[in-house]
């Protein structure tokens, strides 16, 4: 079988070499983008009088028919034709005859593949943003219900100060919001058209890149043909943004895993997102959360693959760059899957408010309250800190908590203590009063929810 580029060759590569060089097994994912790019290119060729109307109509109808074949999954590709671009060109020519061969005028596979890949990354970026928004909505919804639910807040994974559960959830809302912002920003760089760059140097044909740019809905076009075909920054950026999302999700999953353990007991992950053990009948394993945490590894791996792939590559196109697609495809699939699972899991999670409440009553996370109380009575904070440390130690020795100490005992320890101390020491008061901007106080959290809702509404306009 003669290659589409076979003119210069006197010997055919062997099958196993073809197999090694081919990308059709994975780049067939770009079929729709490739057809879209070809339709725009053909239209431009016609409008610029590079091909005549009958050739254009013929090509256009052939491409549209190929597009429906793609949708119906009716096409059979061959490694003989290496990649999706050559396969589709061959299928087109089989359908419409020699006019199919005119499509590739003033175009190279180098600007073609770059265009397809930009279209793909751009479309998928918008889909990932939509997935993020679904998760944000779910978190906001849960936060609204749990402004006054209190959980221990941790530093170093040691109980620190009690916080509103909504406040904790909203921290993830804002992380996701930054992820969304990064993706939106990256569109400035992926939404640029390489088409028209030719193999590397442009073309002698009098093409009009504005026609293809408008036809394909690109915001801008590359202004240097070498850069256009060499650039894979947009793909790397996609993997980098996805890595950040996965890092965030892995932290969230880690907390869900901890919280759903017997030791914490704060939440229960719905049956739909957990599995049992084949041996231990009592088990309910947080598999989905663990998998998301684990999948961050492959996404980071893809980012490193791409960075390493592009490192030191001379301009312009090099066959190495065929290796750019699988890491991005895998990343996009993984990150969308993880975001959906996460949303489903959050929509169904069961919150054990009683357990959370019990937890905040069985620790010393109100010790700061006691120190603040003394400081407000005029004792320098450092001294108050020292005094409270001593009281905590006494309690540990007596196996009780700060709220179990009587007024008399407190007054003996520090005569400034009055009966209002007990109110100040309750975890609810501790949380309720922290209304500094961005703090965990109920009022501050309600304001935060309003701000989050506003942010969502604005970004949807
Ligand atoms: N399959 C190739 C890729 O994915 C398409 C571009 C090939 N260009 C070339 N000159 N060999 O990178």
């Amino acid at each position: 079988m003669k290659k589409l580029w076979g003119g210069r060759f006197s010997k055919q590569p062997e099958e196993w070499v073809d197999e090694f060089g081919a990308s059709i097994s994975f780049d067939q994912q770009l079929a729709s983008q490739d057809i879209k790019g070809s339709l725009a290119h053909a239209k431009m060729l016609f409008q610029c009088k590079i091909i005549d109307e009958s050739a254009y109509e013929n090509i256009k109808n052939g491409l549209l028919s190929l597009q429906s074949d793609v949708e119906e999954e009716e096409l059979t590709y061959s490694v003989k034709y290496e990649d999706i671009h050559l396969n589709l060109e061959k299928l087109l020519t089989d359908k419409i005859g020699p006019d199919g061969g005119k499509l590739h005028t003033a175009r190279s596979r180098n600007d073609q593949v770059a265009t397809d890949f930009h279209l793909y990354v751009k479309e998928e970026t918008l889909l990932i943003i939509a997935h993020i928004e679904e998760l944000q909505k779910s978190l906001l919804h849960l936060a609204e219900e749990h402004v006054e639910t209190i959980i221990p807040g941790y530093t170093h994974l040691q109980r620190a100060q009690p916080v509103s559960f909504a406040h904790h959830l909203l921290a993830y809302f804002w992380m996701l919001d930054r992820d969304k912002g990064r993706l939106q920003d990256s569109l400035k760089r992926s939404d640029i058209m390489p088409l028209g760059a030719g193999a590397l140097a442009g073309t002698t044909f009098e093409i009009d890149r504005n026609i293809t740019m408008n036809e394909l809905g690109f915001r801008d076009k590359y202004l240097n043909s070498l850069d256009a075909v060499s650039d894979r920054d947009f793909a790397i950026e996609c993997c980098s943004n996805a890595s950040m999302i996965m890092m965030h999700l892995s932290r969230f999953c880690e907390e869900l895993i901890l919280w759903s353990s017997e030791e914490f007991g704060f939440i229960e992950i719905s049956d739909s997102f957990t599995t049992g053990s084949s041996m231990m009948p009592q088990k309910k394993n947080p598999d989905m959360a663990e998998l998301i945490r684990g999948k961050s590894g492959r996404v980071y791996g893809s980012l490193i693959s791409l960075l390493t792939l592009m490192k030191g590559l001379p301009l312009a196109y090099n066959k190495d760059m065929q290796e750019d697609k699988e890491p991005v495809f895998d990343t996009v699939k993984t990150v969308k899957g993880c975001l959906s699972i996460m949303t489903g899991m959050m929509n169904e999670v069961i919150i054990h408010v009683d357990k959370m409440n019990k937890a905040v009553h069985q620790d010393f996370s109100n010790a700061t309250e006691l120190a603040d109380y003394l400081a407000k009575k005029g004792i320098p904070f450092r001294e108050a800190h020292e005094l409270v440390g001593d009281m905590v130690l006494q309690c540990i020795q007596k196996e009780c908590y700060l709220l179990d100490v009587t007024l008399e005992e407190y007054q003996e320890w520090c005569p400034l203590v009055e009966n209002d101390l007990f109110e100040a020491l309750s975890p609810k008061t501790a949380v309720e009063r922290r209304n500094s901007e961005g703090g965990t106080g109920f009022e501050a959290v309600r304001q935060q929810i309003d701000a989050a809702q506003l942010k969502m509404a604005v970004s949807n306009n």
Side-chain angles (χ1 to χ4, degrees), residues 185-222:
D185 189 69
S186 73
L187 284 170
K188 285 186 207 143
R189 291 165 293 276
S190 54
D191 198 359
I192 299 183
M193 186 189 74
L195 198 59
L200 74 162
T203 171
T204 53
F205 289 95
E206 284 187 34
I207 59 169
D208 183 345
R209 297 182 67 210
N210 290 324
I211 297 178
T212 37
M213 181 179 89
N214 293 330
E215 209 41 47
L216 293 172
F218 278 112
R219 206 179 47 83
D220 209 348
K221 52 189 179 298
Y222 282 86

Side-chain angles (χ1 to χ4, degrees), residues 384-420:
H385 186 283
E386 178 76 24
L387 266 173
V388 175
D390 169 64
M391 178 52 87
V392 168
L393 192 62
Q394 285 184 41
C395 286
I396 292 171
Q397 281 156 358
K398 284 195 268 176
E399 294 185 16
C400 69
Y401 297 105
L402 293 175
L403 274 170
D404 302 323
V405 179
T406 64
L407 182 62
E408 293 69 40
E409 287 169 322
Y410 270 124
Q411 284 171 339
E412 215 168 283
W413 165 73
C414 173
L416 293 175
V417 172
E418 289 168 87
N419 209 18
D420 60 349

Side-chain angles (χ1 to χ4, degrees), residues 237-442:
E237 213 175 335
C238 171
C239 289
S240 150
N241 291 334
S243 295
M244 195 82 87
I245 296 172
M246 291 306 296
M247 180 270 285
H248 290 153
L249 295 186
S250 78
R251 297 182 72 174
F252 199 2
C253 284
E254 171 66 12
E255 299 210 291
L256 297 181
I257 293 163
L258 284 172
W259 290 346
S260 65
S261 69
E262 193 84 37
E263 287 71 9
F264 282 76
F266 294 170
I267 62 163
E268 189 176 332
I269 301 176
S270 142
D271 285 2
S272 340
F273 298 94
T274 48
T275 59
S277 150
S278 53
M279 187 182 192
M280 302 162 283
Q282 84 285 9
K283 293 277 290 216
K284 191 172 164 188
N285 297 327
D287 280 34
M288 298 305 137
E290 291 170 278
L291 253 186
I292 295 174
R293 187 178 58 183
K295 279 180 190 287
S296 55
R298 65 195 292 157
V299 174
Y300 295 179
S302 293
L303 172 63
I304 298 300
S305 294
L306 279 192
L307 284 168
T308 314
L309 174 69
M310 296 309 292
K311 177 189 174 297
L313 275 191
L315 302 183
Y317 178 82
N318 299 272
K319 183 75 169 180
D320 314 45
M321 286 154 79
Q322 183 165 285
E323 289 288 306
D324 61 0
K325 282 161 217 77
E326 285 164 294
V328 177
F329 292 161
D330 188 73
T331 293
V332 163
K333 183 170 169 235
T334 304
V335 78
K336 284 195 302 189
C338 291
L339 285 164
S340 308
I341 293 284
M342 202 74 204
T343 305
M345 207 152 55
M346 293 321 288
N347 285 342
E348 288 185 27
V349 71
I350 300 154
I351 311 296
H352 292 311
V353 176
D354 51 329
K355 293 261 183 64
M356 291 177 172
N357 193 44
K358 199 168 158 206
V360 290
H361 281 91
Q362 290 178 342
D363 63 24
F364 290 97
S365 60
N366 51 358
T368 314
E369 285 359 272
L370 182 52
D372 285 353
Y373 180 90
L374 297 183
K376 281 179 190 161
K377 297 265 177 196
I379 301 182
F381 185 78
R382 275 288 146 246
E383 228 170 276
H385 186 283
E386 178 76 24
L387 266 173
V388 175
D390 169 64
M391 178 52 87
V392 168
L393 192 62
Q394 285 184 41
C395 286
I396 292 171
Q397 281 156 358
K398 284 195 268 176
E399 294 185 16
C400 69
Y401 297 105
L402 293 175
L403 274 170
D404 302 323
V405 179
T406 64
L407 182 62
E408 293 69 40
E409 287 169 322
Y410 270 124
Q411 284 171 339
E412 215 168 283
W413 165 73
C414 173
L416 293 175
V417 172
E418 289 168 87
N419 209 18
D420 60 349
L421 173 69
F422 296 96
E423 166 74 9
L425 286 186
S426 101
K428 182 166 181 243
T429 318
V431 177
E432 199 172 24
R433 284 183 177 168
R434 288 202 153 69
N435 280 316
S436 53
E437 193 181 15
T440 193
F442 299 156

Side-chain angles (χ1 to χ4, degrees), residues 74-130:
E74 266 172 11
L75 296 179
T76 322
Y77 302 116
S78 157
V79 288
K80 273 276 161 225
Y81 297 106
E82 220 176 301
D83 57 24
I84 188 61
H85 324 292
L86 295 181
N87 267 277
L88 286 174
E89 191 181 323
K90 169 78 172 93
L91 290 164
L92 177 70
T93 309
D94 288 350
K95 251 187 213 285
I96 67 163
D99 277 344
K102 295 186 178 169
L103 172 63
H104 212 53
T105 317
R107 185 175 75 170
S108 152
R109 268 188 298 157
N110 299 348
D111 58 345
Q112 188 180 355
V113 70
T115 303
D116 295 0
F117 207 20
H118 274 79
L119 286 171
Y120 171 87
V121 167
K122 198 179 123 177
E123 287 162 19
E124 291 297 338
T125 299
L126 294 173
L127 290 176
I128 298 171
I129 290 174

Side-chain angles (χ1 to χ4, degrees), residues 22-41:
S23 52
I24 187 63
S25 64
F26 52 86
D27 67 12
Q28 53 184 276
Q29 268 201 63
L30 295 175
S32 293
Q33 288 82 358
D34 199 68
I35 292 170
K36 200 173 163 196
S38 289
L39 279 167
H41 182 67

